[in-house]
Amino acid sequence: MIPAPEALERLREGNRRFAEAASHRSQLATLERRNEVLGGQEPFAIILGCSDSRVPAEMVFDQGLGDLFVIRVAGNIVAPSQVGSVEFAAERFGTRLVVVLGHSGCGAVIATLEELQRPKENQSRNLRSIVDRVRPSVEALLATELSRDHEALVRAAVRVNISVSASHLRHGSELLEQLIRTDGLMVVGAEYSLETGIVDFFDGVGETREK
């Protein structure tokens, strides 16, 4: 089992390689590696990220086969199925780092802000289920000065949505709460910049010490 702080440093190092266009990925997806993981997986981090096609976690963190347990959903929202997936990986594989990975200019967050300002009558029930998950995170921002600056509003809303999702994982699952208290599980929030390729880990990084 890789402790959460060590796993976090691996992700940071991988992201630095990615941002500097110095990827090791060609060495991480070889036939030999495929054979190594045939018998099972031991992912060192769980990534709950957005489905945006520009933010593939394995590439962003320069990792290969079997390294990451990735859950992707528009807006990196946390619903019961996502919580269950995180619980599964944390319990089954002993993975001790969970990262909620959002990104700049998130379409799901922007769609939610637009819905709050100009509701759409013909939005499908399935799309609304995503918007309704993001809504509580960002609604209060519209009552602040940020409402006058769209770009600043989107930036703040993306960060808040990430933090709320990370908090939901920390406090919305008895199993994860127990692993945080006793087994060194760490849940952190991070934002990927589409502009720079850099991931900023900003939420919960210092809350859990290595066991």
Side-chain angles (χ1 to χ4, degrees), residues 146-193:
L146 289 169
S147 63
R148 301 181 181 181
D149 184 336
H150 180 72
E151 290 186 4
L153 176 64
V154 171
R155 287 196 299 270
V158 165
R159 304 281 276 199
V160 169
N161 185 54
I162 293 167
S163 293
V164 168
S165 291
S167 180
H168 189 155
L169 289 177
R170 294 187 199 107
H171 306 293
S173 159
E174 292 182 4
L175 173 60
L176 298 181
E177 287 182 13
Q178 178 67 21
L179 291 175
I180 289 170
R181 286 195 302 268
T182 64
D183 281 333
L185 182 73
M186 180 188 293
V187 179
V188 304
E191 181 183 355
Y192 171 74
S193 169

Side-chain angles (χ1 to χ4, degrees), residues 5 7 17 58 71 74 76 112 122 128 137 152 154 182 185 205 211:
R17 292 194 300 270
E58 289 89 350
I71 306 151
N76 44 273
T112 301
N122 62 345
R128 185 170 294 279
S137 306
V154 171
T182 64
L185 182 73
V205 175
K211 300 290 181 178

Side-chain angles (χ1 to χ4, degrees), residues 25-177:
R25 278 182 57 77
S26 61
Q27 304 167 32
L28 301 173
T30 62
L31 175 60
E32 180 181 4
R33 179 58 178 162
R34 293 211 317 263
N35 289 331
E36 285 177 359
V37 297
L38 275 176
Q41 57 177 309
E42 296 180 346
F44 71 83
I46 301 164
I47 311 294
L48 196 165
C50 183
S51 296
D52 193 295
S53 61
R54 299 166 294 179
V55 196
E58 289 89 350
M59 293 182 68
V60 165
F61 292 117
D62 194 32
Q63 301 300 320
L65 296 172
D67 291 331
L68 304 178
F69 189 92
V70 180
I71 306 151
R72 298 184 70 179
V73 60
N76 44 273
I77 59 172
V78 176
S81 59
Q82 282 84 53
V83 176
S85 294
V86 173
E87 290 178 340
F88 171 79
E91 185 173 43
R92 176 67 63 92
F93 308 124
T95 309
R96 287 298 170 261
L97 177 66
V98 182
V99 178
V100 176
L101 180 64
H103 64 92
S104 61
C106 178
V109 171
I110 293 172
T112 301
L113 292 171
E114 291 174 348
E115 172 68 15
L116 288 168
Q117 294 168 310
R118 297 183 300 278
K120 297 178 181 177
E121 295 180 359
N122 62 345
Q123 190 174 60
S124 80
R125 180 178 62 185
N126 298 310
L127 289 175
R128 185 170 294 279
S129 70
I130 295 173
V131 169
D132 286 346
R133 289 279 177 182
V134 179
R135 180 192 302 264
S137 306
V138 304
E139 193 165 17
L141 295 176
L142 292 174
T144 71
E145 291 296 317
L146 289 169
S147 63
R148 301 181 181 181
D149 184 336
H150 180 72
E151 290 186 4
L153 176 64
V154 171
R155 287 196 299 270
V158 165
R159 304 281 276 199
V160 169
N161 185 54
I162 293 167
S163 293
V164 168
S165 291
S167 180
H168 189 155
L169 289 177
R170 294 187 199 107
H171 306 293
S173 159
E174 292 182 4
L175 173 60
L176 298 181
E177 287 182 13

